[in-house]
Amino acid sequence: MEKWYIALILVVAVLRGIWEVARLFRKSNTPLPRAVAWSAVGLMIVLVVGVLSMVLWAGITFPEVHPPNLTLSWEGGSAQAWLGTYTWSQPDDTRFPVTSSQDSGHVLAAGSFLTRLPVQTGTRLTLTFDQAPDQIAVKRWPEEYLGRLSEARVWPVELEEGNVLSLEVGMVYEVFAVWEGAWKDSTGNGHYGFQVPATP
């Protein structure tokens, strides 16, 4: 932020100089030459462009925001689910809403990005978000349909206790979660994916 302050000081100093020149011309009852006036306008435009450049140069960025992470836990292990497509909005420290979005396509198109779980059929998996969502829905597809979305038929998944499911090998899973503002006035949704490969 130091570069921002330097730019601001320069702008104030130059504007102050222009104002003093104009004041001297008024005191002497001498009309301000048109060339001088246009030069002052041009200088102000250059200053505005310069300030914008300084802001970019200073590296001023908005905080990165995204939906809460999803941890996948089973007996003897845990992993973080891959976060795909999402939209998210949450207020920053000044209560100004910061938004972000990502379009990663369908989970079956994620390929090697998917989190792979080295577990067996019947393993009970617990879904734990950094902050609990208001809604959760889970779908699954046979892994043979990876990259073949147009041919895929979705298989339903029943959740136990609201966040526990029984896994089956050879399947790709998608968890869709929605937040409606109960947590820090944050709203949005996210698609999470993982795979239980038939061959570890």
Side-chain angles (χ1 to χ4, degrees):
M1 294 296 288
E2 293 179 358
K3 296 173 185 177
W4 162 260
Y5 289 129
I6 293 173
L8 183 60
I9 291 172
L10 289 174
V11 169
V12 172
V14 174
L15 291 179
R16 176 72 179 182
I18 293 173
W19 183 81
E20 287 291 346
V21 171
R23 188 172 64 86
L24 289 174
F25 272 96
R26 286 199 302 271
K27 274 188 173 184
S28 62
N29 293 321
T30 304
L32 187 65
R34 180 170 295 183
V36 175
W38 280 111
S39 296
V41 171
L43 182 58
M44 292 179 67
I45 293 174
V46 171
L47 285 172
V48 170
V49 174
V51 168
L52 291 176
S53 300
M54 289 291 286
V55 169
L56 295 176
W57 181 47
I60 298 173
T61 59
F62 290 105
E64 181 180 351
V65 297
H66 56 77
N69 295 322
L70 168 59
T71 299
L72 311 168
S73 305
W74 63 94
E75 185 176 357
S78 65
Q80 185 169 303
W82 170 75
L83 174 59
T85 298
Y86 70 81
T87 59
W88 190 251
S89 176
Q90 73 181 59
D92 62 12
D93 294 338
T94 64
R95 307 300 298 169
F96 182 82
V98 179
T99 62
S100 68
S101 62
Q102 172 177 288
D103 185 0
S104 300
H106 196 276
V107 65
L108 289 177
S112 60
F113 290 103
L114 288 173
T115 302
R116 294 166 64 92
L117 306 186
V119 298
Q120 300 299 317
T121 293
T123 299
R124 289 170 59 82
L125 185 76
T126 301
L127 309 176
T128 305
F129 290 88
D130 288 350
Q131 295 296 331
D134 296 289
Q135 301 177 40
I136 303 177
V138 182
K139 300 176 182 178
R140 64 176 180 164
W141 297 263
E143 63 183 3
E144 64 190 78
Y145 291 113
L146 280 169
R148 297 164 53 195
L149 177 58
S150 61
E151 305 173 28
R153 179 175 65 88
V154 64
W155 292 38
V157 175
E158 294 291 334
L159 286 175
E160 305 171 22
E161 304 171 16
N163 68 333
V164 178
L165 63 148
S166 182
L167 298 176
E168 182 179 343
V169 298
M171 304 295 287
V172 174
Y173 291 80
E174 178 191 66
V175 180
F176 177 66
V178 178
W179 288 262
E180 298 175 343
W183 176 60
K184 296 184 178 181
D185 296 326
S186 300
T187 59
N189 59 71
H191 296 257
Y192 302 79
F194 62 94
Q195 179 183 0
V196 183
T199 303

